Amino acid sequence: MLKMNKIGYIIGREYLVRVRKRTFWLLTFLLPVLYGLLIGFSVMMGRNPGIDDQQVNVFDYSGIFNGKLKDSENLHFLYQKTGEEKTFIELLKKSENQHVLVIPEFNIQENVKVELYSAKLAATFISEQVKAEIRQVVKDERIRSLGLNQEIIQSLDPEVNVVSQKITEAGIEKDNSIAASTIAGIAGFLNYMFVFVYGSLVLRGIHEEKQNRIVEIILSTVKPFELMMGKIIGVALVGLTQFMLWVVLIAGITMIGLPEVIQQSNQMSLPAEAQDILNTLSSINFPLVLGVFVFFFIGGYLLYSSLFAAVAASVDNQADMQQFTVPLSIPLIIAMVSINAVIQAPNSSFSVWMSMIPFTSPVMMVARVPLGVPEYQLIISMLIMVASFIFTTWLAAKIYRIGILVHGSKISYLQLWKWLFYK
Amino acid sequence: MNILEVKNISKTYGKKKVLNQISLAVPQGKIYGLLGPNGAGKTTLIRIINQIIASDEGEVWFKGSPMTRNQVEKLGYLPEERGLYTKMKVGEHLIYMAQLRGIKSLNAPKVVKNYMREFDILDWWNMKVEQLSKGMQQKLQFIIAIMHSPDFVILDEPFSGFDPVNAEFIKNKILELKEQGVTFMLSTHRMDSVEELCDHVTLIHKANKVLDGEKHKIKSQFKTNKYEIIYSHTSRPVESETPVFQIISNVKNDNPDWMTLTVSLKPGRTVNELLHYLLDMTEIHAFRELIPGMNEIFISLVKDVENE
């Protein structure tokens, strides 16, 4: 029978020892701070894209353009008296932000050729904007010369929006592929990181206990299984604490920073795709993604950390440890590098299998969920996960209880196998 | 009354038999020496008593019935392989161990403080374990073994690594606790501490029990009827062959006027006859029976087993 109060003491120690460490808080705050900086940076960039105001001095011999070229945020048109362009071109040599635009007389029905002088070759956005503005003015002139109404012409110009639709059994869904893929990739990678980072904490913790020989004193009062589970659960709670803090902090930063970013992107009207992402983010089922994430974090972590625990208990030195931890980590690494393949084709048989095998599902299923997974697959994968970690913890406990007291001998797989049958 | 009884315990690892039908009985309130060379199976037996590992055969009884898990947790145990969490603070560490040993969380700090005061280490409270010397850490480990007031304490090589001052301190603590009725099982190969502390001795060698009994009885069992006499150097030498004894050696003492004589008594002769005989011949300064030390008994028994 398990003694819950003792497991409680062990969990408490394992948790507090780690949470009190400076490195824990450093890492906990570093990520949101980086994220905050990223948001802050893009806000800053939005306010000042790093380009000084540019002034285009217009010498208009055609007389059509006066006042009609539209300024943009960084580009201003200034109309100058014709005939003085030579002096201006002399002055240009001193300033990189001054340009001279010479528009000759031309027939409104013919092509237009203008000259743009700059100290250095003008940035593309300047020449592009100049071109667009001139074209607009000439077009308007031509329309007027035909005697047509401006508004009628505008009404002829249709606005076209292509909305991708995804057909599923349940009907037609709004496609959110870019946003969803991003979320899928991040979630899969995060879970890979979590399982690895916290699995290694268990590995190191048990190795330390074995090395400094405290374990026997403890084992005279608690069962090996209780000690192992206490450690695994304690470390898991550290992981969840860190994750929750991240969620809260990042959500906080997002709420403060994102409206600003959205507002700016609206003003700039430039990143239509970005806007799409922002809009479609809201269509993802975040509670489901988060729930599945936490479930597979716990499941994958229990699976890997129990096996790591068995390894740490069995071997004496770090070098021998690798012989066992490397093969154990390979499936997880394969899962990580296959995230992209799964995102590209979330319902391929490769993806489905990878999200069923418990050694890869903590990464794969988490990556698939934001892209849409049939419910039955999710449920089967979860059941396999639960059955697997129950099995691995049982297996690990059997090896752990013998291994933790063995010193000085090199351990082979055969030996581990034999330990399973020791009384 | 026996507080602990080990009944026919056997344990095999793979093909190697580590314990073979070991039985022993530990009388209450005594210090019980568990002796044996390295690899004899002492630590395995202790782990079985502590239920850290299971035996293949046999039972451990405590206070007259099979030992329960709760009873195991109330034992005191200082393993040979012992360590501490080096990054923890001393006070915190002891409180944690007290909790695992079943002391209520609310009580634990008080209990720990009392022991630290008793051992004169209260000012270590906020130090990290890694800041302590090895000897200091061993004091903590000893406190951990006894702080929950167990009535049965197992000490596996308790003096290894202790400097003489600390060893003496721990020895006195053991005797003090024995006075209060605590029973000890002391596993060691340091024969001086066995000589000094143990009431009862069991010798395990190569998985088997080769000797078991009260220390004074074992010693008299291994008696060889040899005596050592220190006497005044006289012009008349002691005869080499007498009806009462046989001379083993007769050599000069550190004191130039004295001689040291070692004899063995002939069968049927008594110590009084020996003394009478010698008193007639010379002046006697010292007389003692040569009783084998536990060390000699230990070595001769181990050799016997190996020769078999």
Side-chain angles (χ1 to χ4, degrees):
Chain A
M1 201 188 71
L2 293 180
K3 297 228 166 178
M4 294 319 283
N5 61 334
K6 292 201 174 176
I7 298 186
Y9 291 133
I10 296 168
I11 293 173
R13 195 199 83 86
E14 298 296 337
Y15 181 79
L16 288 176
V17 159
R18 288 179 176 80
V19 168
R20 277 200 219 135
K21 275 193 184 158
R22 247 179 250 124
T23 43
F24 172 83
W25 292 103
L26 203 69
L27 193 67
T28 305
F29 284 111
L30 197 64
L31 192 86
V33 164
L34 282 179
Y35 176 76
L37 284 178
L38 196 74
I39 295 255
F41 186 67
S42 54
V43 169
M44 293 277 289
M45 286 299 284
R47 283 191 184 142
N48 178 12
I51 303 165
D52 294 331
D53 279 358
Q54 305 290 322
Q55 187 168 305
V56 177
N57 301 283
V58 184
F59 296 87
D60 179 17
Y61 288 91
S62 69
I64 304 174
F65 294 92
N66 200 359
K68 287 181 184 158
L69 298 170
K70 277 186 203 132
D71 288 359
S72 71
E73 202 172 347
N74 303 107
L75 193 71
H76 308 282
F77 292 99
L78 200 67
Y79 300 91
Q80 304 287 0
K81 229 171 139 187
T82 49
E84 287 176 9
E85 56 263 35
K86 291 248 163 67
T87 357
F88 265 95
I89 290 169
E90 275 307 304
L91 284 173
L92 265 187
K93 290 172 186 164
K94 286 173 193 153
S95 170
E96 289 183 8
N97 300 329
Q98 294 281 337
H99 311 269
V100 168
L101 175 66
V102 181
I103 307 171
E105 266 190 279
F106 66 97
N107 185 339
I108 193 86
Q109 302 306 333
E110 284 167 13
N111 287 340
V112 191
K113 193 183 170 194
V114 301
E115 282 161 344
L116 184 65
Y117 300 89
S118 304
K120 287 181 180 166
L121 207 58
T124 331
F125 90 97
I126 301 174
S127 51
E128 285 299 317
Q129 199 167 334
V130 167
K131 190 167 145 189
E133 286 302 320
I134 291 176
R135 178 191 273 159
Q136 189 60 47
V137 173
V138 173
K139 194 172 153 195
D140 290 349
E141 270 316 302
R142 287 181 184 172
I143 290 165
R144 201 146 34 119
S145 69
L146 288 173
L148 292 172
N149 186 330
Q150 189 81 19
E151 277 163 26
I152 292 170
I153 297 297
Q154 255 170 20
S155 74
L156 291 176
D157 202 2
E159 198 168 300
V160 181
N161 255 328
V162 178
V163 182
S164 307
Q165 305 282 355
K166 184 168 68 176
I167 302 165
T168 65
E169 309 238 326
I172 292 167
E173 282 178 17
K174 194 156 186 276
D175 185 28
N176 43 26
S177 59
I178 297 173
S181 303
T182 314
I183 302 270
I186 291 173
F189 181 72
L190 262 188
N191 220 4
Y192 162 82
M193 289 280 295
F194 268 133
V195 169
F196 240 127
V197 167
Y198 292 103
S200 324
L201 279 187
V202 171
L203 187 83
R204 258 188 290 150
I206 290 176
H207 186 65
E208 182 202 339
E209 270 171 4
K210 183 181 166 113
Q211 282 310 95
N212 71 17
R213 313 281 158 117
I214 187 159
V215 71
E216 190 159 353
I217 298 180
I218 310 245
L219 289 186
S220 63
T221 159
V222 299
K223 292 262 167 224
F225 182 72
E226 292 166 350
L227 179 58
M228 189 183 90
M229 283 320 284
K231 183 171 289 284
I232 289 177
I233 295 169
V235 172
L237 291 179
V238 176
L240 287 176
T241 305
Q242 193 158 53
F243 180 66
M244 291 307 162
L245 284 172
W246 278 345
V247 168
V248 169
L249 290 172
I250 287 178
I253 291 169
T254 307
M255 278 202 272
I256 297 165
L258 209 58
E260 181 88 354
V261 175
I262 293 174
Q263 200 185 2
Q264 279 181 9
S265 63
N266 279 343
Q267 278 174 0
M268 280 158 43
S269 75
L270 197 150
E273 291 119 350
Q275 199 123 47
D276 249 5
I277 291 174
L278 292 175
N279 294 339
T280 49
L281 275 183
S282 57
S283 69
I284 291 180
N285 187 348
F286 275 107
L288 178 74
V289 172
L290 206 65
V292 169
F293 181 88
V294 171
F295 175 89
F296 277 96
F297 162 58
I298 294 172
Y301 163 81
L302 283 176
L303 183 88
Y304 276 98
S305 64
S306 60
L307 293 174
F308 282 158
V311 168
S314 306
V315 298
D316 257 336
N317 59 58
Q318 300 271 0
D320 289 349
M321 209 185 267
Q322 301 221 326
Q323 174 196 351
F324 298 99
T325 50
V326 169
L328 273 182
S329 320
I330 285 174
L332 205 54
I333 294 168
I334 291 177
M336 210 274 292
V337 296
S338 314
I339 288 181
N340 232 357
V342 169
I343 290 171
Q344 300 294 324
N347 291 309
S348 69
S349 61
F350 174 76
S351 302
V352 173
W353 279 108
M354 290 291 267
S355 61
M356 290 295 160
I357 298 167
F359 287 94
T360 51
S361 65
V363 175
M364 290 316 188
M365 194 44 104
V366 165
R368 277 184 72 201
V369 163
L371 306 166
V373 170
E375 265 171 41
Y376 77 94
Q377 284 186 10
L378 184 59
I379 290 167
I380 291 173
S381 170
M382 285 172 130
L383 289 176
I384 294 175
M385 190 75 244
V386 172
S388 305
F389 75 65
I390 289 174
F391 174 72
T392 55
T393 21
W394 170 84
L395 189 82
K398 292 218 129 203
I399 294 174
Y400 177 93
R401 96 211 132 99
I402 307 286
I404 196 82
L405 294 170
V406 171
H407 286 286
S409 55
K410 214 166 149 60
I411 305 302
S412 63
Y413 282 99
L414 183 69
Q415 194 128 33
L416 295 184
W417 176 252
K418 281 186 188 158
W419 286 354
L420 291 180
F421 304 100
Y422 276 4
K423 198 177 165 188
Chain B
M1 190 196 129
N2 293 324
I3 187 165
L4 181 96
E5 283 171 77
V6 170
K7 300 180 173 182
N8 305 314
I9 292 277
S10 292
K11 178 77 183 174
T12 307
Y13 282 128
K15 282 178 188 149
K16 196 186 170 204
K17 193 134 206 166
V18 189
L19 292 172
N20 184 23
Q21 294 289 321
I22 299 287
S23 293
L24 44 90
V26 181
Q28 180 139 29
K30 305 283 184 191
I31 300 179
Y32 190 99
L34 184 63
L35 317 182
N38 289 331
K42 297 184 303 264
T43 299
T44 304
L45 179 60
I46 288 171
R47 284 175 178 169
I48 288 171
I49 294 171
N50 266 309
Q51 295 186 4
I52 292 174
I53 53 178
S55 63
D56 299 335
E57 274 175 62
E59 284 180 324
V60 177
W61 284 44
F62 192 74
K63 294 181 176 172
S65 52
M67 200 171 197
T68 63
R69 169 112 197 261
N70 279 336
Q71 286 172 326
V72 170
E73 285 165 12
K74 291 201 171 69
L75 298 184
Y77 180 37
L78 179 66
E80 186 183 8
E81 302 278 9
R82 50 192 180 238
L84 297 163
Y85 290 112
T86 51
K87 302 277 178 204
M88 276 181 103
K89 287 181 179 169
V90 172
E92 239 172 36
H93 200 318
L94 290 181
I95 289 173
Y96 175 60
M97 296 310 296
Q99 288 168 335
L100 289 185
R101 279 289 180 195
I103 297 175
K104 292 260 177 329
S105 297
L106 280 176
N107 254 341
K110 209 177 95 193
V111 171
V112 166
K113 271 195 182 131
N114 283 342
Y115 271 100
M116 287 179 77
R117 202 169 291 125
E118 194 184 324
F119 280 72
D120 204 19
I121 58 168
L122 197 55
D123 49 339
W124 297 358
W125 186 274
N126 274 319
M127 281 169 82
K128 278 194 173 174
V129 172
E130 62 189 356
Q131 292 172 280
L132 305 180
S133 73
K134 204 180 165 204
M136 290 157 99
Q137 292 190 15
Q138 281 180 317
K139 261 189 178 174
L140 293 191
Q141 289 153 347
F142 187 78
I143 293 176
I144 289 170
I146 59 160
M147 67 181 165
H148 54 298
S149 314
D151 47 13
F152 185 74
V153 179
I154 300 174
L155 305 172
D156 199 351
E157 293 295 352
F159 303 109
S160 73
F162 269 109
D163 62 55
V165 178
N166 274 327
E168 192 62 27
F169 180 83
I170 298 296
K171 207 176 280 176
N172 289 333
K173 277 287 163 206
I174 293 172
L175 290 172
E176 199 182 305
L177 288 167
K178 183 193 165 191
E179 282 304 305
Q180 294 164 18
V182 178
T183 311
F184 285 89
M185 179 181 259
L186 186 71
S187 160
T188 182
H189 37 249
R190 267 185 61 158
M191 290 304 146
D192 53 340
S193 48
V194 176
E195 206 83 62
E196 217 171 324
L197 292 171
C198 294
D199 305 300
H200 199 113
V201 171
T202 287
L203 176 62
I204 298 178
H205 186 39
K206 293 197 167 167
N208 290 291
K209 186 168 85 174
V210 289
L211 178 73
D212 187 11
E214 287 175 60
K215 186 177 68 183
H216 71 93
K217 282 186 183 159
I218 289 174
K219 290 182 101 171
S220 57
Q221 189 189 326
F222 281 81
K223 222 156 63 162
T224 49
N225 267 348
K226 286 178 187 154
Y227 297 88
E228 186 187 78
I229 306 107
I230 296 172
Y231 65 100
S232 285
H233 196 358
T234 53
S235 51
R236 203 178 129 203
V238 178
E239 294 156 53
S240 63
E241 188 66 35
T242 75
V244 183
F245 59 82
Q246 213 172 349
I247 292 181
I248 296 168
S249 70
N250 188 15
V251 294
K252 276 188 182 154
N253 194 276
D254 291 343
N255 183 332
D257 298 333
W258 294 353
M259 297 285 284
T260 303
L261 174 71
T262 313
V263 301
S264 74
L265 220 52
K266 286 195 166 168
R269 296 298 185 163
T270 65
V271 176
N272 275 11
E273 285 174 296
L274 169 68
L275 283 172
H276 270 298
Y277 193 92
L278 289 170
L279 281 170
D280 284 347
M281 287 166 47
T282 182
E283 188 187 352
I284 296 177
H285 299 286
F287 174 87
R288 69 180 181 106
E289 188 180 2
L290 292 176
I291 299 169
M294 284 312 297
N295 202 29
E296 289 157 275
I297 297 174
F298 178 89
I299 291 169
S300 73
L301 277 172
V302 168
K303 272 188 184 154
D304 285 352
V305 173
E306 261 151 34
N307 290 337
E308 269 168 24

